[in-house]
Amino acid sequence: MTSTELPRWSLADVHDSTDARSFTDALERSAAEVDRLVALFDELGIRSIEPRPPTDVDGDAATRALVEMNRVSADVAVLRAYAYCVVAANSRDTPAQSALGETRRIDAVLRPLSARLADWMAALGVDALAELSVDVGEHRGPLTRLAARAAHQMSEAEEHLAAELGVTGSSAWGRLHNDVTSQLTTRVELPTGDEVLPMPAVRGLATDADPATRRAAYDAELRAWPTIEVPISAAMNAIKGEANALNRRRRWASPLDASLFANSVSRPTFDAMQSAVVAALPDLRRWMRTKAALHGHDPADGLPWWDLVAPLPSIDGEVSWDDGIEVVRSAFSGYSDRLGGLVDRALDERWIDAEPRDGKAGGAFCASFVDDRSLVLLNWSGSADSTQTTAHELGHAYHNTTLAGRTALQRQLPMALAETASIFCETLVVEAGLARMSGPQRLAQLDVDLVGSNQVIVDIHSRFLFETEVFARRQRRTLSAAELCEVMTNAQATAYGDGLDQRTSHPYMWLLKPHYYGSHFYNWPYTYGLLFGLGLFARYQTDPDRFRGGYDDLLSRAGMDTAEQLGQSFGLDVTDEAFWTASLDVIRARIDDYVALASEVGRIEPA
C-alpha cells in the first residue's frame, strides 16, 4: 500500500493552523484566563495555611476554585493537544514549534495552582470539605491524592520557580529529543538498492518479510544513532538530573516512589507484579529461542535483535491498511456496536494520521482532543503488528469517549490505568483471530501477540532496569553516551537472558525511545496495563453481559480511583501476586501453544 493512500488527520475544523487568528485568539484568551485563575486563588486564599476545621466560606471557595480550574484546564488542554499534534506530524513546522512553546509557558503558570490546591486541601481535609461542597465530594478521589501530595511539595515559591524553569529545562530538552530524532534520515543498504529513509520508516522495516531487509535496517540504525548521541545524551542527563534534584527537594525516597504515587499504584501492588514478571522471564526466553529456530537460527544462540518483531518466515505477513482496519473493526464489533462504530467514526472524522514520513514523530500515540474526540498518530508499516498498534491506540480513543462527561481534574489519568482500555482492545483482536485460526495461520497470530507481550514484559523490564541505574548514577555524575549504551546493554542482558543473541543487542534503545524524555519510569505502567487488561478480559469471558454493564464506568473512573479500588470493582486483588501470575499464565499458555505448533508446522525441536 502506498503512503498516499494512508489516512492523515485533519484539525482544520478546530483551527486552520497555529498561525490562524482563531488559534492565536484562543492562546491569548487562555493565557488571560489562567492569570484570572491565579488571581482567584489569591482572592480565596487557596495556598498553604495552618490546619483547621473548614467553614462554609471554605466550602464556597472550594466550589468556585474547582469549577474555574476545571474550565480553564480543559481549554488549555485542547490548545496543548492541538499544538503538540501539529508538531508531532511535522517537527519542521517552525510556527507550530513556537505555539507549542507558548502552551507550555501557560502550563507553567497553571501547574503550580495544583500545588497550592494540594496544600490547602491537606490543611482543611478533603472529607470535611466534601460535607460543605458538592463539587469537592464529586472530586474526592483526585483531591485526596492531591492532598497526600502536599507532603512531597516544596514551598509555593519553589514550586512556581520549578514550573517556570521546566519550560527551558526538561521540557525544552524533551522537545530537542523529538526534533532531532524525528528529522533524522539514514541510508539503508536494501537488497533492491540503497535508499535514504526517515528513521520511522527505517524502524518500520523491522517487520518486513525479508530477513536481509530487516538486517539492513538494523545495521542502518546502528550507524545513524551515534551521529546524534551527543545532544541526546545531554538531553537524558539534563532531564534525569532535574528529576533527581526535584525528587530530593520534594522528599521522595526514590524516583520510583514518585512514579508509583503519580500512577496511583501502591508499593505492595508494584512489588507483587514485579515478582510475577521476573518469574515469567524464562518462559518468554523459551518463546524467543523457539522463534529463533523458526527463523533458521541456532536456538542456543538466541534470537537476533533484527528478528525480535519479524513476521514468521514462509507466511505472508503483509497487511493492507483496509484489511488491518477491517480486522480491528470486526473484533471491536464482536464486543459491542459502540466500540465497533468508533473505528468508522475515527476514519470518517479524520482522527488518524498513519503514514510514516520525514519530520513526523516515530511510534504511536492517542491524544485526547475536543469533547470525546481523539487524535491518533501511527506509523503504519503494513504488518500484523501495525494492526495491533492500531487496535491499541483506538482503545485509548474509546477510553477517551468514556471520559467525555468528566471534568478536567477527573480526567487526569495515571499512566498505569490509562493503558487498561488499549490493552483490552488489543486482546479482543488477538482472541478473535485465535478463535478462527489453526495451523500456520494460528502460529502467525500467536507470533504477533507474543511479539507484543515480549516487548511489554521483557523489553519494558530492560527499560525499567536501565532507568533505575541511570537515576542512581546520575546522582553522582553526568553519564556519557558510551556509558548510557553500556547501561542499556547490561539491562538487556539481564532481561532477555539467553532468549536474545546478546551479540546483537541494541545499545541505543535509550536514545530512540521518547518515553525517557517526557516522563520518568514511563515503562512499568505498560506491563501493568497488559496484565491488568488480561485479568479484565478473563472477567469479560466469564460473564460478558455483566462485564459490559460496568466496563465503561470503570474506564470513566480511572482518574478518580486508585489502582487497587479499580481492581476491587471487578473483584480483582492487584496486591496479590497470584493475580499477576494468573494473567501471566495466559501468556504462558500461548507460549505452550506456539511451541507445539512450531514443532508441528515448522518441524523444529522444542527450545
Side-chain angles (χ1 to χ4, degrees), residues 35 77 130 132 151 240 276 293 318 327 375 382 402 455 526 576:
D35 287 341
L132 305 170
K240 300 311 179 191
E318 187 172 348
V327 166
L375 294 173
T402 70
Q455 289 289 294
Y526 280 103
D576 187 351

Side-chain angles (χ1 to χ4, degrees), residues 8-9 83-94 96-97 175-186 196-202 353 355-363 365 377-379:
R8 293 181 67 166
W9 59 31
Y84 180 83
C85 288
V86 172
V87 171
N90 180 16
S91 65
R92 299 184 190 278
D93 187 332
T94 303
Q97 290 276 16
R175 284 175 61 190
L176 174 73
H177 171 269
N178 177 74
D179 294 348
V180 172
T181 57
S182 68
Q183 295 177 23
L184 181 65
T185 61
T186 189
V196 175
L197 297 172
M199 191 53 75
V202 176
D353 192 308
E355 65 167 342
R357 57 183 180 272
D358 180 41
K360 181 180 176 181
F365 67 75
L377 182 138
L378 306 169
N379 279 281

Side-chain angles (χ1 to χ4, degrees), residues 92-399:
R92 299 184 190 278
D93 187 332
T94 303
Q97 290 276 16
S98 297
L100 181 58
E102 280 296 297
T103 66
R104 286 174 170 164
R105 185 190 64 78
I106 294 171
D107 266 338
V109 180
L110 178 61
R111 193 162 55 250
L113 296 183
S114 293
R116 290 176 59 172
L117 184 61
D119 284 332
W120 194 68
M121 287 285 168
L124 298 179
V126 175
D127 290 336
L129 274 171
E131 297 295 321
L132 305 170
S133 167
V134 172
D135 289 82
V136 172
E138 291 174 347
H139 293 80
R140 191 187 300 266
L143 289 176
T144 298
R145 289 198 300 279
L146 201 60
R149 197 185 85 182
H152 295 281
Q153 290 184 170
M154 300 178 290
S155 70
E156 182 179 324
E158 289 172 318
E159 290 291 349
H160 276 269
L161 180 61
E164 188 172 345
L165 291 178
V167 176
T168 52
S170 57
S171 180
W173 285 109
R175 284 175 61 190
L176 174 73
H177 171 269
N178 177 74
D179 294 348
V180 172
T181 57
S182 68
Q183 295 177 23
L184 181 65
T185 61
T186 189
R187 177 176 55 84
V188 187
E189 298 172 353
L190 295 169
T192 54
D194 291 4
E195 287 188 47
V196 175
L197 297 172
M199 191 53 75
V202 176
R203 288 193 48 76
L205 294 175
T207 59
D208 195 272
D210 179 19
T213 297
R214 296 194 300 270
R215 175 63 189 270
Y218 167 84
D219 290 340
E221 269 198 73
L222 293 193
R223 286 194 304 271
W225 294 125
T227 66
I228 59 171
E229 67 178 8
V230 172
I232 304 305
S233 63
M236 174 73 80
N237 277 285
I239 290 168
K240 300 311 179 191
E242 178 183 302
N244 272 338
L246 289 173
N247 284 331
R248 186 167 57 251
R249 295 297 295 269
R250 288 171 175 153
R251 300 175 297 282
W252 288 109
S254 71
L256 177 58
D257 287 331
S259 173
L260 291 172
F261 182 85
N263 280 279
S264 297
V265 172
S266 71
R267 191 60 180 256
T269 294
F270 175 80
D271 289 343
M273 181 188 76
Q274 283 294 93
S275 179
V277 163
V278 171
L281 291 177
D283 294 289
L284 274 301
R285 293 166 185 163
R286 177 165 59 100
W287 168 77
M288 283 183 270
R289 294 194 300 274
T290 303
K291 184 179 175 74
L294 286 170
H295 281 275
H297 307 296
D298 184 345
D301 291 336
L303 184 64
W305 189 276
W306 56 82
D307 284 340
L308 273 172
V309 297
L312 289 181
S314 304
I315 294 177
D316 184 8
E318 187 172 348
V319 181
S320 72
W321 170 257
D322 288 341
D323 287 346
I325 279 292
E326 182 51 37
V327 166
V328 176
R329 180 189 291 112
S330 176
F332 283 15
S333 297
Y335 174 79
S336 73
D337 291 340
R338 182 167 181 249
L339 181 57
L342 180 82
V343 178
D344 290 320
R345 185 182 171 202
L347 292 170
D348 293 344
E349 297 180 11
R350 299 183 66 183
W351 295 6
I352 301 174
D353 192 308
E355 65 167 342
R357 57 183 180 272
D358 180 41
K360 181 180 176 181
F365 67 75
C366 175
S368 178
F369 196 34
V370 179
D371 299 325
D372 69 342
R373 173 181 170 188
S374 297
L375 294 173
V376 175
L377 182 138
L378 306 169
N379 279 281
W380 180 264
S381 64
S383 65
D385 182 65
S386 286
T387 303
Q388 290 292 105
T389 299
T390 302
H392 181 100
E393 300 305 337
L394 287 175
H396 282 302
Y398 183 77
H399 197 166

